[in-house]
Amino acid sequence: MSAPRLGEIAPDFTAETTEGTLAFHDWKGDSWAVLFSHPADFTPVCTTELGRVATLETEWERRGVKVLAVSVDPLESHEAWKGDIAEVAGSEVGYPIIADQSRAVSELYDMIHPGEGDTSGVRSVFVIDRSHTVRLTLTYPKSVGRNFGEILRAIDALQTTDRGPYSTPADWRKGERIIVAPTISTVEAKERFGDVEELTPYLRYATEPAG
Ligand code: BEZ
């Protein structure tokens, strides 16, 4: 199965999790979601990653995002490991972890890559919007822990540009100026956004209107 691509509907599934049986689309409702895989429980990098996601709980909530972790380890392993994660991170794991022993979810989302040496998942991330559409994907190797601050930043950018017509520049952070879409003339941009800085005819910065 190839991984769901940007713009496609995130495939639905039912899975056993640390919070009980979960039907993905029903559980997600009209929230955003971050579905992310990790290679294995009781491993160092994964422990820091799931801990980081736990400490960011209020940041996910602020953006209307539900998070859902997945690995091929069994439920008992996830339950036991959660204690270590909480100890290391200083935050309880308040989100579900899928026990994907059948690999149904991992295969549906192409989270197990040939050549990785075993049957564990890579570090995949799917950011899914309110209408279940895949909006961003990331795949990291086992040796490199993900930057969840960057995932939050990208969600801020997605949620901001959805109010467009505009996009966000490199390294943009919430509250900074946006880039006016090329489809808007500078005259119209000034009417809509007020002050517009034109660096080139195609690169024009403006402040997003409030509210
Ligand atoms: C880790 O998270 O550190 C890890 C995961 C899988 C294999 C080895 C290490």
Side-chain angles (χ1 to χ4, degrees), residues 39-40 43-47 49 118 120 123 142:
T43 53
V45 177
C46 298
T47 302
E49 287 193 321
D118 58 17
S120 63
R123 300 185 195 281
K142 283 182 191 171

Side-chain angles (χ1 to χ4, degrees), residues 16 33 36 45 61 66 69-70 119 121 126 129 133 139 143 160 175 181 186 207:
E16 297 307 315
F36 70 106
V45 177
E61 278 173 11
K66 290 183 171 180
V70 53
T119 55
F126 293 85
D129 72 12
T133 302
T139 307
S143 56
T160 296
T186 299
T207 300

Side-chain angles (χ1 to χ4, degrees), residues 24-41:
F24 181 53
H25 285 189
D26 283 351
W27 168 82
K28 180 184 159 297
D30 64 359
S31 299
W32 286 67
V34 171
L35 173 66
F36 70 106
S37 60
H38 64 274
D41 294 356

Side-chain angles (χ1 to χ4, degrees), residues 38-121:
H38 64 274
D41 294 356
F42 295 103
T43 53
V45 177
C46 298
T47 302
T48 64
E49 287 193 321
L50 272 81
R52 183 70 183 134
V53 172
T55 63
L56 291 170
E57 183 174 334
T58 55
E59 297 299 325
W60 306 118
E61 278 173 11
R62 206 192 308 277
R63 292 160 177 84
V65 178
K66 290 183 171 180
V67 290
L68 179 57
V70 53
S71 87
V72 300
D73 293 304
L75 211 48
E76 310 78 62
S77 166
H78 289 341
E79 291 293 359
W81 183 40
K82 278 170 64 176
D84 284 2
I85 298 169
E87 199 178 318
V88 168
S91 301
E92 295 291 331
V93 176
Y95 54 88
I97 309 174
I98 296 174
D100 192 32
Q101 280 181 282
S102 70
R103 298 182 215 153
V105 176
S106 303
E107 285 174 6
L108 194 59
Y109 281 79
D110 193 27
M111 291 163 161
I112 294 174
H113 289 194
E116 284 299 310
D118 58 17
T119 55
S120 63

